[in-house]
């Protein structure tokens, strides 16, 4: 879930400011749906994590490792020639 949210946040950085709020809501709704969560469940979990920075840091270490692995696998499959 956190890896997907991180990817969504990265995608939002490329959008013009006037689209970000609307698109952000859709991305978060979609991530919740993909992981079979309700939006309130997702929001509650994020709130819980924000209140526990040590736990969030530990989770994000795992998220970044996961994303690095995905990036390596994707780059390994990508052949520009």
């Amino acid at each position: 879930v956190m890896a997907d949210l991180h990817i969504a946040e990265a995608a939002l950085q490329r959008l013009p400011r006037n689209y970000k709020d609307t698109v952000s809501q859709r991305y978060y709704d979609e991530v919740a749906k993909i992981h079979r969560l309700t939006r309130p469940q997702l929001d509650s979990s994020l709130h819980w994590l924000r209140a526990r920075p040590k736990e969030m840091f530990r989770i994000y270490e795992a998220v970044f490792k996961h994303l690095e692995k995905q990036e390596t696998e994707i780059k390994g499959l990508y052949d520009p020639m």
Side-chain angles (χ1 to χ4, degrees):
V1 173
M2 294 304 289
D4 287 343
L5 290 176
H6 187 76
I7 292 167
E9 287 293 333
L12 288 168
Q13 298 306 310
R14 298 184 178 271
L15 293 177
R17 175 172 271 192
N18 56 329
Y19 291 109
K20 282 187 181 180
D21 287 341
T22 302
V23 175
S24 174
Q25 293 302 313
R26 288 185 182 177
Y27 282 176
Y28 275 62
D29 289 345
E30 198 59 33
V31 169
K33 182 179 173 183
I34 288 167
H35 292 280
R36 296 189 173 133
L37 299 169
T38 65
R39 184 59 195 271
Q41 287 172 320
L42 177 61
D43 292 341
S44 175
S45 296
L46 293 174
H47 179 75
W48 185 90
L49 271 177
R50 286 185 196 110
R52 293 162 180 81
K54 288 182 183 179
E55 187 70 15
M56 184 183 279
F57 179 79
R58 187 185 68 74
I59 289 170
Y60 260 99
E61 284 182 322
V63 166
F64 289 130
K65 286 179 185 176
H66 173 76
L67 292 172
E68 285 175 355
K69 181 182 176 199
Q70 279 188 326
E71 183 178 21
T72 300
E73 289 172 353
I74 290 168
K75 285 181 178 179
L77 295 175
Y78 177 69
D79 183 6
M81 297 306 203

